[in-house]
Amino acid sequence: MHPFFLPILMVLLLLLILLIKFIYSILWVPYKIQRHLYKQGIRGPGYRPIVGNSAAFKQEYDATLNKPMAFFSHDIVHRVDPCYHKWTFMYGKTMLFWHGSTPRLALADPEMIKEVLLNKSGHIVKVKLTPLAEQLFGKGLIDLHGEKWSIHRKLANPAFVMDRVKAWVPEVVESTQEVLNKWENGIGERNEMEVDVLKEFHILSAEILSKTAFGSDFEEGKHIFELQDQQAMLTLEALRTIYIPGFRFLPTRDNRMRWNVETETRRLIKNLIYREKKTGGNSKCLLSLLLWGGLPVEEVIDECQTFYFAGKEAVAIFLTWTLVLLALHQEWQIKAREEVLQVYSNDKVPNADSLSDLKIVGMILNEALRLYNPVPDLFMEATQNIKVGNLDVPAGTQIYVPVTATHHSTEIWGADANEFNPQRFAQPRKHLASFFPFGIGSRICIGQNFALMEGKIILAMILRQFSFALSPSYVHAPVTFLTVQPQFGAQILFRRLSG
Ligand code: HEM
């Protein structure tokens, strides 16, 4: 026998096993799942080996970016979730599409959505972030599972219970007042001034988060936020391409940039932690709870990365859309101002006790979160064969929850689903899974109380000091850049209120 015969045979055998595994996961499993769901009446754009429907996603997304809305409308699903929107007309609202070779089953029925998000069997879990997204979020709450998630969540929860959140009202008032003074000075002798509130609210929510959750000076956190913004852009670029395992380890230009940004972000957070350790901490803040709760430093860094992003981004977007809506719907701006002036009469500074008196403001915030919910979709995964409603869902199927589409559904919200009508929130919500901007179930947003408190205080303070309208330079173009954002900023004209 030739001396190389055996090694060559081994290599060939190994290659054959790899090929079989490859064919099994790229062809056999996807087509099997597709057949299984097709038999139950679930249709979709069809599986393409390896790439799935990535080409369609890219094409629709690029088309959206190049096509601002022709006229102002709150009917935005076709921009925010373009593929899903297009496919619903072809295949129905409950459908199957493909992210690479991963099946995604989109659900539209609130009862089924509730069943998935509230499932306690442990067989439906949150989808793990891709390693690329981990560089942005860190391996914190958003991406943790099981026992580790439960430990982190228990440690972080006390920072966001209502009493603790209310204690942060003075910090929110102080930071907001500084911004409003800046606008006031900017107007000076003029009649009005244009402000891109998207930029302003990013800075304001970052400052508030630094002071409250991290108990630190904004200057310390500022650089971390800037790096996170940079990382968000890089992550977005990467997420729009097909994920190829191992590619992120190649020293490409973008990969190197991502590594550097991540290393620098983590270094800065580590500095914050060491300062916190030295000073003994501030028992009110999240950072202290995590650190003194016994988490290893590396896990605290991960969690800080998560909160620096999640706590700033969505709040800034939420406030931005609220202002855009009130700038457009003057009648509601007037109603909200009347309420604010009544609740905070005699120049009273907004305080925690009167938050619940801001009923109309609360309804407006809800309506803004319904029409322009910052997080457009949620992803879960079946780890075993499961039943959702009447459907048999095979293990390995991801479940896609189209939050924006649900919030805009005429079947759920009636013929005026795409109208701005805060009055609809005068009644309790129709169904737990008809309005869920913060998610529902055990993974519900931990910062919900905090975000709504910020929304009420900041909006009340703006309404007391200024009237505002959309600037002619504003172009309505909602688009999904990780969150639902105004593509060209949100230019608003502010006027000082007389008297
Ligand atoms: C209007 C503002 C906000 C919106 C719309 C929002 C929305 C969401 C949504 C939809 C989820 C996912 C729920 C799920 O997977 O089922 C989430 C999770 C999360 N949010 Fe928020 N969020 C907001 C503000 C905040 C703030 C202010 C913070 C922190 C200060 C925060 C921190 C988090 C964290 C850490 C998670 C992961 C929770 C877990 O999986 O245990 N969010 N948020």
Side-chain angles (χ1 to χ4, degrees):
M1 202 194 311
H2 194 282
F4 288 137
F5 177 77
L6 249 163
I8 288 173
L9 188 72
M10 296 284 281
V11 170
L12 285 177
L13 234 135
L14 196 72
L15 285 175
L16 187 70
I17 292 172
L18 286 177
L19 185 72
I20 292 171
K21 266 187 100 169
F22 182 73
I23 290 175
Y24 178 76
S25 59
I26 296 299
L27 295 175
W28 179 261
V29 174
Y31 283 119
K32 197 174 117 200
I33 290 180
Q34 183 163 273
R35 255 197 325 276
H36 185 75
L37 288 168
Y38 271 29
K39 270 192 212 150
Q40 300 176 69
I42 305 296
R43 295 281 175 269
Y47 175 61
R48 282 173 181 237
I50 304 176
V51 293
N53 306 125
S54 308
F57 277 106
K58 183 160 173 26
Q59 195 183 333
E60 293 296 327
Y61 187 73
D62 290 348
T64 305
L65 290 188
N66 295 321
K67 195 177 56 191
M69 285 174 96
F71 55 91
F72 208 122
S73 153
H74 304 312
D75 182 2
I76 60 163
V77 184
H78 65 105
R79 290 190 58 87
V80 168
D81 202 349
C83 273
Y84 176 71
H85 178 259
K86 187 174 164 186
W87 289 332
T88 53
F89 293 103
M90 300 155 83
Y91 311 110
K93 289 183 177 175
T94 304
M95 73 168 88
L96 178 69
F97 60 91
W98 294 85
H99 177 70
S101 55
T102 308
R104 282 192 174 158
L105 173 66
L107 295 182
D109 171 16
E111 204 43 48
M112 285 165 101
I113 294 176
K114 191 174 112 187
E115 211 181 309
V116 167
L117 294 179
L118 295 185
N119 188 286
K120 290 204 169 81
S121 69
H123 305 325
I124 307 182
V125 299
K126 207 167 158 173
V127 168
K128 268 199 85 54
L129 296 175
T130 70
L132 282 172
E134 266 177 16
Q135 282 178 321
L136 173 61
F137 293 108
K139 291 188 209 76
L141 274 180
I142 290 182
D143 199 30
L144 291 178
H145 292 86
E147 184 61 14
K148 207 167 205 177
W149 170 78
S150 162
I151 292 172
H152 281 224
R153 180 98 192 194
K154 270 197 200 112
L155 283 176
N157 265 339
F160 297 99
V161 294
M162 205 52 201
D163 281 349
R164 184 63 66 89
V165 164
K166 281 185 173 173
W168 281 331
V169 168
E171 279 89 346
V172 178
V173 170
E174 184 190 59
S175 297
T176 309
Q177 197 55 60
E178 279 167 24
V179 173
L180 301 192
N181 291 347
K182 192 179 81 183
W183 293 357
E184 183 93 45
N185 293 337
I187 294 178
E189 297 304 306
R190 285 179 296 167
N191 213 4
E192 60 188 17
M193 182 176 78
E194 183 181 294
V195 176
D196 181 350
V197 291
L198 178 64
K199 282 192 192 138
E200 293 285 297
F201 287 147
H202 265 287
I203 299 170
L204 178 59
S205 67
E207 176 164 340
I208 291 172
L209 196 70
S210 291
K211 282 188 185 167
T212 53
F214 292 97
S216 74
D217 190 67
F218 180 47
E219 284 309 310
E220 277 182 303
K222 199 169 161 191
H223 196 193
I224 300 176
F225 287 115
E226 284 163 2
L227 288 167
Q228 293 261 48
D229 286 345
Q230 214 179 323
Q231 191 69 286
M233 293 309 289
L234 292 165
T235 305
L236 191 71
E237 278 299 308
L239 290 177
R240 285 173 58 198
T241 56
I242 303 161
Y243 173 64
I244 302 170
F247 184 77
R248 70 199 156 101
F249 297 114
L250 298 180
T252 62
R253 191 185 65 102
D254 280 2
N255 280 347
R256 276 185 283 122
M257 274 167 77
R258 271 195 292 275
W259 299 337
N260 291 342
V261 172
E262 194 192 12
T263 311
E264 183 60 6
T265 310
R266 294 183 74 86
R267 188 187 69 76
L268 290 175
I269 295 176
K270 208 175 227 170
N271 287 348
L272 271 187
I273 293 173
Y274 285 137
R275 185 194 37 79
E276 179 78 12
K277 269 190 162 169
K278 257 195 201 152
T279 58
N282 151 11
S283 61
K284 260 166 70 174
C285 83
L286 170 76
L287 183 56
S288 281
L289 291 172
L290 297 175
L291 197 60
W292 304 114
L295 286 191
V297 169
E298 284 304 308
E299 286 184 30
V300 178
I301 297 177
D302 277 319
E303 213 48 86
C304 290
Q305 253 184 293
T306 295
F307 277 90
Y308 264 111
F309 185 79
K312 181 200 79 151
E313 177 78 11
V315 171
I317 302 292
F318 164 44
L319 291 167
T320 299
W321 287 121
T322 306
L323 268 257
V324 168
L325 285 163
L326 286 187
L328 186 70
H329 299 279
Q330 291 285 326
E331 71 286 10
W332 281 100
Q333 189 185 133
I334 293 166
K335 276 189 205 178
R337 183 171 300 108
E338 280 169 4
E339 179 182 76
V340 169
L341 291 176
Q342 193 198 335
V343 172
Y344 297 117
S345 56
N346 308 326
D347 280 346
K348 253 195 324 182
V349 174
N351 57 58
D353 295 336
S354 40
L355 282 177
S356 57
D357 296 332
L358 295 172
K359 301 260 188 285
I360 295 177
V361 169
M363 280 154 52
I364 289 171
L365 294 177
N366 274 346
E367 185 66 341
L369 283 169
R370 184 183 72 83
L371 287 171
Y372 295 87
N373 53 307
V375 182
D377 35 36
L378 300 172
F379 299 90
M380 305 296 282
E381 180 169 3
T383 55
Q384 295 198 4
N385 294 342
I386 51 160
K387 231 176 152 62
V388 181
N390 288 329
L391 278 182
D392 280 323
V393 180
T397 306
Q398 289 189 357
I399 295 167
Y400 176 75
V401 181
V403 186
T404 306
T406 311
H407 282 188
H408 286 254
S409 162
T410 47
E411 283 143 40
I412 298 171
W413 293 98
D416 72 342
N418 289 312
E419 305 294 319
F420 177 72
N421 175 17
Q423 195 60 40
R424 68 179 96 238
F425 281 100
Q427 276 86 40
R429 74 178 140 182
K430 292 165 184 267
H431 186 286
L432 196 57
S434 60
F435 173 65
F436 52 119
F438 297 98
I440 45 175
S442 61
R443 304 299 295 240
I444 195 168
C445 174
I446 195 170
Q448 175 175 0
N449 290 335
F450 186 55
L452 290 173
M453 176 276 281
E454 282 185 272
K456 279 193 171 174
I457 298 284
I458 294 170
L459 185 57
M461 290 180 72
I462 294 175
L463 284 164
R464 249 171 42 139
Q465 211 164 325
F466 301 99
S467 67
F468 49 94
L470 278 181
S471 163
S473 59
Y474 174 74
V475 178
H476 193 51
V479 71
T480 305
F481 288 136
L482 295 178
T483 48
V484 176
Q485 313 204 7
Q487 189 180 349
F488 306 108
Q491 298 77 10
I492 305 263
L493 292 173
F494 285 91
R495 279 179 181 222
R496 196 184 293 117
L497 285 174
S498 50

